[in-house]
Amino acid sequence: MILIVAEHNGSKLAKSTLEMVSAARTSGREGPVTLLVLGQGVAEAANEAAKYAEQVLVGDSAALAGYNAETWAAAAAQIAREGEASTVIIGGSRSGREYAPRVAVKLGAPYLEDAIMLKADGEALTAQRYTYLARVTETVSASGPVVVVTAKPGSFPSAETLASAGEQYDVDLDLPAVRVTVTGRTAEKTSRVALTEADVIVTGGRGVGNQGNFATYVEGLADSIGAGVGATRAVVDAGWRPYAEQVGQTGKTVQPKAYIALGVSGAVQHLSGMGKSKFIVAINKDAEAPIFKVADYGIVGDVGEIVPALIAASKA
């Protein structure tokens, strides 16, 4: 089987999970696509998972109530071993990148990190990933009874639902004693849709001028159309916005239906994080800005003059 460890919030699957299902379906690897749903009280997430996978394995346990690298790695490795998985796909989130190598070590398996493409090549599994600040696409290949992969978020399309729901099975897990305990967690409070879940994203760069303009134009336009808010690294480094909103090679990779870039020059590091957006709209007063080379629609002009008109039009 192809085993995917689902990312979810307890009741709903994350967009990254649907992307991993798509990666599995198009990889050419044999076996049913199987989603492993870990946590406590995850019945809703498991029911949704059954819409996308032939099999859903549910590890519902108090020991899995909160994410822990040791327990999640042990659970994924146990199920992969018992199910004779040929491929284990884990999300390339911060937590996924933390425990995926542990799964590979436990299985004695090769590890392919940050894959943006997966394809079977005989007995081997070939992946593509970015390197050299996303200027180069590197092709790597791994062979073995099982291969562990992390899929870079935003690199694959979301999977469509199946014609009929997959079967669900409860699994018994032999989990190790927890040696590291999380004593506190602070969640960012926002009413906006998360970047990785947003269908439309409005991103601001240093070209908007200052922190006040970012709030007025970027947040203003995003709020008027129900979009997520993104920022370039320069904006985050300047302290205008939190790191959670950074899009690019050192931030998040996104693939929305529409990406609106305000005052964004279009450095290659930023393009690597949003270049697969379905439609890209750029507004910049510099007609030679690199962002216009990838934009589907471009407006050469002052953000301060154009965006208020867009906000007024959206409200009308």
Side-chain angles (χ1 to χ4, degrees):
M1 67 180 179
I2 303 175
L3 181 65
I4 299 170
V5 185
E7 295 190 327
H8 59 89
N9 63 4
S11 59
K12 183 176 176 58
L13 297 179
K15 186 178 179 182
S16 60
T17 299
L18 307 188
E19 294 172 359
M20 288 188 281
V21 171
S22 179
R25 290 179 183 173
T26 58
S27 68
R29 298 283 267 188
E30 296 183 358
V33 175
T34 301
L35 274 169
L36 174 60
V37 182
L38 301 174
Q40 183 180 32
V42 294
E44 288 185 62
N47 289 336
E48 185 184 3
K51 299 177 182 179
Y52 296 94
E54 288 90 340
Q55 293 183 123
V56 176
L57 306 180
V58 184
D60 196 325
S61 168
L64 296 167
Y67 163 75
N68 179 278
E70 289 182 288
T71 53
W72 281 58
Q78 176 187 329
I79 297 302
R81 191 179 295 111
E82 293 177 354
E84 298 182 348
S86 64
T87 312
V88 179
I89 304 179
I90 296 169
S93 59
R94 174 168 291 188
S95 58
R97 293 196 304 271
E98 180 184 19
Y99 78 87
R102 298 170 185 248
V103 176
V105 169
K106 289 177 181 294
L107 296 174
Y111 175 48
L112 301 177
E113 187 177 31
D114 268 353
I116 60 172
M117 184 281 290
L118 289 175
K119 188 65 65 177
D121 183 12
E123 296 296 318
L125 180 64
T126 296
Q128 288 185 348
R129 61 191 181 193
Y130 294 129
T131 185
Y132 290 106
L133 297 178
R135 289 182 172 87
V136 176
T137 300
E138 181 179 59
T139 301
V140 291
S141 183
S143 299
V146 57
V147 178
V148 177
V149 180
T150 52
K152 188 174 180 63
S155 299
F156 298 90
S158 294
E160 299 292 333
T161 56
L162 298 173
S164 58
E167 296 290 332
Q168 292 189 46
Y169 304 93
D170 292 327
V171 294
D172 293 322
L173 297 170
D174 183 16
L175 300 175
V178 175
R179 296 182 296 175
V180 178
T181 302
V182 177
T183 58
R185 179 176 284 122
T186 302
E188 181 185 7
K189 296 180 180 180
T190 177
S191 59
R192 298 190 183 94
V193 62
L195 271 183
T196 52
E197 305 290 327
D199 286 332
V200 180
I201 294 174
V202 180
T203 291
R206 287 295 293 268
V208 301
N210 54 55
Q211 189 171 4
N213 286 348
F214 194 104
T216 300
Y217 303 131
V218 181
E219 292 187 87
L221 180 58
D223 290 343
S224 70
I225 60 177
V229 171
T232 62
R233 178 172 178 172
V235 164
V236 173
D237 287 348
W240 298 358
R241 305 302 297 177
Y243 173 72
E245 295 179 357
Q246 183 174 318
V247 176
Q249 196 264 337
T250 55
K252 289 183 171 65
T253 298
V254 296
Q255 194 175 1
K257 294 179 180 177
Y259 189 88
I260 304 173
L262 308 181
V264 175
S265 63
V268 65
Q269 293 90 341
H270 184 75
L271 298 182
S272 71
M274 44 66 70
K276 288 192 174 183
S277 303
K278 187 171 183 181
F279 289 105
I280 299 173
V281 180
I283 302 174
N284 198 303
K285 63 183 179 181
D286 179 8
E288 301 301 318
I291 190 70
F292 288 122
K293 295 180 180 179
V294 299
D296 297 284
Y297 302 97
I299 302 174
V300 178
D302 192 322
V303 167
E305 296 177 0
I306 297 167
V307 174
L310 292 178
I311 294 174
S314 69
K315 292 181 179 179

